[in-house]
Amino acid sequence: AQTVTQSQPEMSVQEAETVTLSCTYDTSESDYYLFWYKQPPSRQMILVIRQEAYKQQNATENRFSVNFQKAAKSFSLKISDSQLGDAAMYFCAAGAGSYQLTFGKGTKLSVIP
Amino acid sequence: GAGVSQSPSNKVTEKGKDVELRCDPISGHTALYWYRQRLGQGLEFLIYFQGNSAPDKSGLPSDRFSAERTGESVSTLTIQRTQQEDSAVYLCASSWDLAVLSYEQYFGPGTRLTVT
């Protein structure tokens, strides 16, 4: 079983600036994946980025990148050049085994024009 | 192509009534998942299907909850004798196959259930 903790209920960032969302996790599995999902007001969860635990290189997807610190069990999301459309709830999730994702409670990101 | 769809979008029901929530996965996706999201919380895993089989029902909150799936298509989540604590958004997701490590889960927009 996994646990996922997001310690920042809310964050805000100025448009075009950079923001980092924090996530820590715990798992007894040696092979696992970590995910960041975005949930806009439409409620539809959208996969932002995923990291395979066995890969040391941090994943990047355009303006989104992660800082994966395996020993510290930390998986933060960095959003560069923030845009108004980035405003949403962001959920960190962990998956191991075949099917189950465990989600954190989320961070609400506001983008200030 | 069409994504995952869920109906109804919103449902208000009286305490004690039964409700049925529907999920239409992406065509060809063999795996289907149900999650519950309470206000201000993350997603809570409920149940998954591989084809029309649900091998593990331990995530369902109580015996008032049940789910079924027809083949590799529509799934319904039924809540009997609804209680106020059942109020939440119920999200459905599907993927090509079960392995979460390999296959992205595509989510629907959810059904917001309000029990009065």
Side-chain angles (χ1 to χ4, degrees), chain A residues 7-80:
Chain A
S7 59
Q8 307 154 315
E10 295 188 31
M11 293 279 285
S12 61
V13 62
Q14 207 76 31
E15 194 175 4
E17 296 294 310
T18 295
V19 65
T20 298
L21 308 184
S22 300
C23 173
T24 58
Y25 64 93
D26 196 11
T27 179
S28 57
E29 303 286 342
S30 58
D31 189 15
Y32 56 91
Y33 275 48
L34 300 166
F35 305 81
W36 278 99
Y37 277 87
K38 172 184 177 182
Q39 187 180 41
S42 66
R43 300 198 303 243
Q44 195 142 6
M45 300 282 283
I46 302 164
L47 179 64
V48 174
I49 198 166
R50 93 172 137 191
Q51 174 80 40
E52 300 151 1
Y54 67 87
K55 287 188 177 179
Q56 298 200 354
Q57 187 173 5
N58 289 326
T60 62
E61 286 286 342
N62 300 314
R63 298 182 295 107
F64 299 86
S65 62
V66 298
N67 183 6
F68 175 44
Q69 301 289 327
K70 192 171 184 177
K73 296 186 177 177
S74 170
F75 183 62
S76 59
L77 174 70
K78 185 171 83 171
I79 306 174
S80 305

Side-chain angles (χ1 to χ4, degrees), chain A residues 31-33 35 37 39 42-45 47 50 91 95-101 103-105, chain B residues 9-10 33 35 37 41-43 45 48 56 91 98-102 104-105 107 109-110 112:
Chain A
D31 189 15
Y32 56 91
Y33 275 48
F35 305 81
Y37 277 87
Q39 187 180 41
S42 66
R43 300 198 303 243
Q44 195 142 6
M45 300 282 283
L47 179 64
R50 93 172 137 191
F91 292 94
S98 62
Y99 59 89
Q100 186 169 345
L101 288 178
F103 287 82
K105 291 186 176 182
Chain B
S9 178
N10 291 282
Y33 314 81
Y35 295 87
Q37 185 178 25
Q41 302 294 311
L43 276 66
F45 173 81
Y48 78 93
D56 181 5
L91 290 159
L98 247 195
V100 71
L101 303 189
S102 304
E104 179 180 346
Q105 293 186 20
F107 283 82
R112 182 181 298 280

Side-chain angles (χ1 to χ4, degrees), chain B residues 23-38:
Chain B
C23 172
D24 284 87
I26 293 172
S27 178
H29 280 193
T30 62
L32 185 146
Y33 314 81
W34 283 98
Y35 295 87
R36 178 170 70 176
Q37 185 178 25
R38 286 184 161 137

Side-chain angles (χ1 to χ4, degrees), chain B residues 90-111:
Chain B
Y90 290 83
L91 290 159
C92 173
S94 70
S95 64
W96 284 109
D97 204 341
L98 247 195
V100 71
L101 303 189
S102 304
Y103 301 103
E104 179 180 346
Q105 293 186 20
Y106 293 83
F107 283 82
T111 294

